[in-house]
């Protein structure tokens, strides 16, 4: 670079800095902060300042933009519109518009722009956004919709939409022409009406193939107004909302031509014309030399029109580059097969699959075309169907597993991972029996599998430990719901099972209550007589038999105690709730049972929180609960030890009473049965004491939790609400 060039460059930068300084600081700040490309236009309609996004979009540096007339970048827009933009900026109005802009290198982009007048200077703001790609996508979407409509309405073949019973839902104009009737008359009839009776067996065969989700192809006679024609048909099952589609091509004339061709022994011509696929012969320049009927139908033109064109003339402009590359490959390899989008003279867009070979017939090149637009539509519908299934599968509130016939998991939804506490990647590829710890030899599971195969569906329940608790799950399976896949729905029925267990216990308590009332009544009557006669005998017999009467009296008292427990079950006692000091009740209970504790070499460790608030309760009932639990604790500690008692306030507004012994402990399977009628771990116990205690705590809106370890002891946790 010459020295003079350097000085000129430095001078230009200096001018640029001057221009920047002249731009109002707030305008400059607004422009720089804008997330959209933005230009500041001065009163002379020149670009005064530009942000980085504007420089990027217009592909020009700041030095090139500043000082240029803003209209420089709107040369692709009619002059009146540009003049209107100037008028808007001069009058201070606002404007939103879509238009074209020129960037560096004469590239044209489609933009959305906003013109606003600055509120703090004579300048104007020009915001713009490049929406070229969006507009191109809208154009393509429009063309696709147009394509689908044209395929149905303008297809030269007759198209019929019908249900499985043959009732016609819709037809195109070509079919109406084929049968010589109006569309309104056609749609009132069944397909069988258009087929002569001697060919109805073909309709039955087509229905069988559709039920099996298969396409049907062949020929069938069709009644017209005054004659019968032969058509080639292709049926497709389930193209839209349980409707099926048939494409019918009138081949009456072609069949007559075939007879003539056979008579003239023109085998090649016959094969050429009989082909359902389009066949085109062309020279080295790509010009069409010969084409069959199918080619004329696909390219929507007459033979004379087709012979005047090259194949490339039909290629959609955006696909020309791809087509040129395929032709280069054809030149190198001598054969090529692919798909390209073609634009027909009637503006239909068709996806054509073609196979081309060089020097195939008499030294000319041959290309065979097949219209696969229908396949593209079916693939699109299939993708949409798969997407709908995936959304339902993933969003289901029930756990869903897809398994193969070996019961190996192929897919699972998020709910399964939630229920089984296992991520999806740990489930895929594993056997269901491994996931749920099911013994393959288990009779119940073997019966479930047998029923699944024989009846197509079956249900199985399994209990397993998850998240530190016993969990019950139910498996409901359907065999071969999808292609070689079984669907299994997994539900967490833990709450349901627990509720059923609670109902069972409730029913048991009801029966026990009725039984207790009867037993207590029947026992007390003879007991009264026995006690009276014993007292009489005691007064008439000497002191040498006093010990026997003491034993008899003690046993009577025990029977009275059991009867009292029965009556508590049979008839709830009147409860008078009042403010109760739990610590006082507990101390009274400990004092009451202290003598029994000393006899069993048991000592107490007590810890009570100071300032513990009172609760609303029935003191005598709570004392009965504490007596039952502490008495049990003393009796199970045959070798002596300590009973730890603590009362504290919890963070969630409850009073926590903890009673811990050092006995032999209780196994987990027995803990859940505590509180059931007549269930006890003691040799002479009835099980009624704990059941009564649990009911008392429940009536006080509290809960009881039991934790135990065999050989280490048992702890009762009682939670009661504060006032």
């Amino acid at each position: 670079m010459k020295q003079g060039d350097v000085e000129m460059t430095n001078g230009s930068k200096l001018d640029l800095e001057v221009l920047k300084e002249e731009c109002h600081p707030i305008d400059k700040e607004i422009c720089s902060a804008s997330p959209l490309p933005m230009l500041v236009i001065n009163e002379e309609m020149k670009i005064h300042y530009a942000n980085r996004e504007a420089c990027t979009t217009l592909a020009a540096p700041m030095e090139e933009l500043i000082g240029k007339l803003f209209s420089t970048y709107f040369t692709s827009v009619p002059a009146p519109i540009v003049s209107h933009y100037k008028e808007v900026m001069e009058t201070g109005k606002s404007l939103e518009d879509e238009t074209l802009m020129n960037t560096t290198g004469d590239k044209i982009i489609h933009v959305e722009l906003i013109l606003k007048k600055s509120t703090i200077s004579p300048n104007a703001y020009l915001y713009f956004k490049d929406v070229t790609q969006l507009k191109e996508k809208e154009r393509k979407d429009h063309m696709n919709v147009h394509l689908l409509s044209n395929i149905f309405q303008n297809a030269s073949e007759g198209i019929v939409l019908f249900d499985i019973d043959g009732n016609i839902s819709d037809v195109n104009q070509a079919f109406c022409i084929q049968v010589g009737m109006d569309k309104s008359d056609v749609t009132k009839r069944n397909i069988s009406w258009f087929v002569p009776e001697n060919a109805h067996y073909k309709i039955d065969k087509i229905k069988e193939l559709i039920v099996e989700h298969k396409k049907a192809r062949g020929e069938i006679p069709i009644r017209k107004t005054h004659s019968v024609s032969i058509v080639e048909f292709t049926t497709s099952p389930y193209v839209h909302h349980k409707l099926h589609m048939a494409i019918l091509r009138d081949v009456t004339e072609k069949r007559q031509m075939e007879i003539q061709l056979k008579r003239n022994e023109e085998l090649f011509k016959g094969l050429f014309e009989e082909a359902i696929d389009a066949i085109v012969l062309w020279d080295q320049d790509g010009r069409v030399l010969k084409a069959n009927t199918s080619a004329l139908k696909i390219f929507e033109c007459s033979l004379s029109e087709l012979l005047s064109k090259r194949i490339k003339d039909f290629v959609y402009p955006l696909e020309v580059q791809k087509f040129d590359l395929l032709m280069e490959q054809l030149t190198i390899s001598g054969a090529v097969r692919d798909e390209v989008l073609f634009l027909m003279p009637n503006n239909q867009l068709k996806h054509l699959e073609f196979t081309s070979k060089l020097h195939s017939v008499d030294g000319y090149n041959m290309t065979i075309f097949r219209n696969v637009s229908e396949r593209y539509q079916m693939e699109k519908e299939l993708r949409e169907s798969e997407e709908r299934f995936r959304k339902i599968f993933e969003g289901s509130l029930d756990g869903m597993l897809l398994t193969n016939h070996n019961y190996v998991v192929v897919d699972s939804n998020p709910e399964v991972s939630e229920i089984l506490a296992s991520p999806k990647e740990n489930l895929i590829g594993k056997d269901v029996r491994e996931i749920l710890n099911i013994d393959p030899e288990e009779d119940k599971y073997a019966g479930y599998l047998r029923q699944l195969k024989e009846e197509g569906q079956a249900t199985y329940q399994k209990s397993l430990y998850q998240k530190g608790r016993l969990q019950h799950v139910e498996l409901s399976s359907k065999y071969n719901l999808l292609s070689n896949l079984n669907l299994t729905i997994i539900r967490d029925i833990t709450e349901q099972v627990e509720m059923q267990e609670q109902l069972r216990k409730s029913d048991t308590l009801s029966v026990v209550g009725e039984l207790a009332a009867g037993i207590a009544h029947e026992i007390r009557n003879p007991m009264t007589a026995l006690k009276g006669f014993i007292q009489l005998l005691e007064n008439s017999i000497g002191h040498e038999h006093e010990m026997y009467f003491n034993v008899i009296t003690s046993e009577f008292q025990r029977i009275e105690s059991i009867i009292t427990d029965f009556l508590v079950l049979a008839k709830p006692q009147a409860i008078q709730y009042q403010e109760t000091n739990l610590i006082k009740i507990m101390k009274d209970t400990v004092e009451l049972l202290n003598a029994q504790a000393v006899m069993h070499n048991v000592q107490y460790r007590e810890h009570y929180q100071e300032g513990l608030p009172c609760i609303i309760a029935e003191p005598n009932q709570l004392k009965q609960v504490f007596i039952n639990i502490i008495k049990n604790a003393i009796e199970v500690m045959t070798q002596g030890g300590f009973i730890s008692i603590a009362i504290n306030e919890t963070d969630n507004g409850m009073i926590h009473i903890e009673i811990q012994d050092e006995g032999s402990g209780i196994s987990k399977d027995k803990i859940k049965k505590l509180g059931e009628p007549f269930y006890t771990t003691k040799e002479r116990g009835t099980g009624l004491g704990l059941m009564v205690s649990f009911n008392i705590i429940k009536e006080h809106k509290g809960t009881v939790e039991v934790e135990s370890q065999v050989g280490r002891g048992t702890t009762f946790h009682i939670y009661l609400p504060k006032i």
Side-chain angles (χ1 to χ4, degrees), residues 79-89 93 95 97 115:
I81 295 178
V82 178
S83 299
H84 179 61
Y85 291 166
K86 292 179 181 180
E87 180 183 345
V88 169
M89 288 188 286
K93 298 178 181 178
L95 172 71
D97 198 8
L115 282 173

Side-chain angles (χ1 to χ4, degrees), residues 344-525:
M344 303 304 157
N346 62 358
N347 289 326
Q348 285 190 57
L349 282 172
K350 294 183 179 180
H351 281 279
L352 300 184
E353 178 185 81
F354 64 89
T355 302
S356 295
K357 288 187 177 182
L358 293 179
H359 316 301
S360 180
V361 179
D362 295 334
Y364 296 114
N365 310 312
M366 181 178 72
T367 299
I368 301 176
F369 293 93
R370 179 174 296 169
N371 189 349
V372 294
S373 301
E374 177 186 334
R375 190 190 74 196
Y376 269 76
Q377 175 63 19
M378 292 180 64
E379 289 176 349
K380 177 184 176 183
E381 292 176 355
L382 179 60
R383 286 193 298 271
E384 291 175 352
S385 177
E386 290 176 347
E387 183 179 354
R388 287 194 296 269
F389 168 77
R390 177 55 57 183
K391 288 181 178 179
I392 294 172
F393 184 75
E394 295 291 341
S396 174
L397 297 178
D398 290 327
M400 289 187 177
L401 284 178
L402 289 178
T403 62
N404 59 24
H405 290 337
N406 294 323
Y407 310 106
V408 173
V409 176
V410 176
D411 199 359
S412 68
N413 68 351
E415 190 64 23
V416 174
S417 298
E418 180 68 22
I419 293 173
L420 301 181
S422 180
K424 181 176 180 178
E425 54 269 20
N426 290 350
L427 302 175
I428 303 300
K430 287 188 177 181
D431 193 302
V432 173
R433 291 165 285 196
E434 178 184 355
I435 294 172
L436 297 177
N437 297 321
I438 299 173
D439 184 359
E441 303 300 325
E442 180 186 325
D443 292 340
K444 184 179 178 183
Y445 187 74
Y448 154 77
L449 295 182
R450 185 167 54 254
Q451 182 184 4
L452 181 60
K453 289 182 179 180
E454 294 175 355
E455 302 180 11
Q457 61 184 29
T459 302
Y460 172 78
Q461 291 186 3
K462 172 68 176 176
S463 300
L464 61 158
Y465 281 95
Q466 296 282 2
K467 305 175 185 176
R469 69 184 182 96
L470 182 63
Q471 185 179 23
H472 304 276
V473 296
E474 181 183 71
L475 279 63
S476 298
S477 300
K478 287 205 171 184
Y479 190 75
N480 207 27
L481 183 67
L482 300 173
S483 178
N484 296 320
L485 291 177
N486 308 323
L487 173 65
T488 296
I489 297 177
I490 299 180
R491 295 186 179 93
D492 188 340
I493 60 170
T494 304
E495 292 185 3
Q496 178 183 340
V497 172
E498 290 177 349
M499 185 176 297
Q500 290 174 350
E501 180 64 18
Q502 291 176 1
L503 288 174
R504 185 189 65 80
K505 289 182 179 180
S506 177
D507 291 341
T508 303
L509 286 175
S510 177
V511 172
V512 167
E514 295 177 6
L515 180 62
I519 292 174
H521 177 73
E522 294 299 327
I523 292 177
R524 271 194 167 169
N525 287 337

Side-chain angles (χ1 to χ4, degrees), residues 263-286:
R263 288 175 181 175
N264 297 331
E265 297 181 349
E266 296 179 0
L267 179 60
F268 169 74
K269 185 177 180 181
L271 294 173
F272 184 78
E273 293 298 337
E274 286 176 11
I276 296 178
D277 294 330
I279 303 176
V280 175
L281 300 179
W282 47 282
D283 61 18
Q284 298 304 317
D285 295 327

Side-chain angles (χ1 to χ4, degrees), residues 171-307:
V171 297
N172 67 348
Q173 186 61 29
F175 182 80
C176 295
I177 295 173
Q178 285 178 353
V179 297
M181 297 174 64
D182 292 335
K183 182 176 180 179
S184 58
D185 293 330
V186 172
T187 53
K188 294 177 182 177
R189 306 180 188 275
N190 192 282
I191 285 179
S192 59
W193 188 90
F194 296 93
V195 179
E197 290 185 4
N198 60 355
H200 278 189
Y201 71 93
K202 292 192 174 185
I203 296 178
D204 296 334
K205 182 62 177 177
I206 292 170
K207 183 176 179 180
E208 291 177 6
L209 292 173
I210 289 176
V211 170
E212 296 174 0
H213 302 278
K214 295 180 180 178
K215 288 188 175 182
R217 291 187 177 184
E219 294 182 359
I220 197 168
I222 295 292
R223 289 196 300 181
K224 302 175 68 171
T225 308
H226 300 292
S227 63
V228 175
S229 61
I230 304 299
V231 297
E232 288 180 344
F233 69 90
T234 301
T235 63
S236 298
Y238 300 112
V239 295
H240 182 66
H241 293 303
K242 295 187 178 180
L243 293 179
H244 317 291
M245 180 174 69
I247 300 177
L248 303 101
R249 180 183 297 131
D250 192 338
V251 294
T252 306
E253 294 181 3
K254 189 170 82 168
R255 289 294 169 263
Q256 294 173 351
M257 185 183 296
E258 287 174 1
I259 296 173
Q260 185 64 36
L261 289 173
K262 289 179 181 179
R263 288 175 181 175
N264 297 331
E265 297 181 349
E266 296 179 0
L267 179 60
F268 169 74
K269 185 177 180 181
L271 294 173
F272 184 78
E273 293 298 337
E274 286 176 11
I276 296 178
D277 294 330
I279 303 176
V280 175
L281 300 179
W282 47 282
D283 61 18
Q284 298 304 317
D285 295 327
R287 296 192 177 277
V288 178
L289 301 176
K290 191 172 181 61
N292 66 353
T293 306
S294 297
L296 302 181
K297 291 181 178 180
I298 283 182
F299 288 96
E300 305 288 345
C301 58
S302 64
L303 180 60
S304 59
E305 292 173 335
L306 190 58
L307 294 178

Side-chain angles (χ1 to χ4, degrees), residues 516 563-573 621 624 692 695-696:
I563 291 173
T564 301
D565 287 343
F566 268 121
L567 290 177
V568 170
L569 294 174
K571 181 180 179 182
Q573 305 301 308
Q621 286 197 340
Q624 181 182 352
V692 170
N695 285 340
I696 290 173

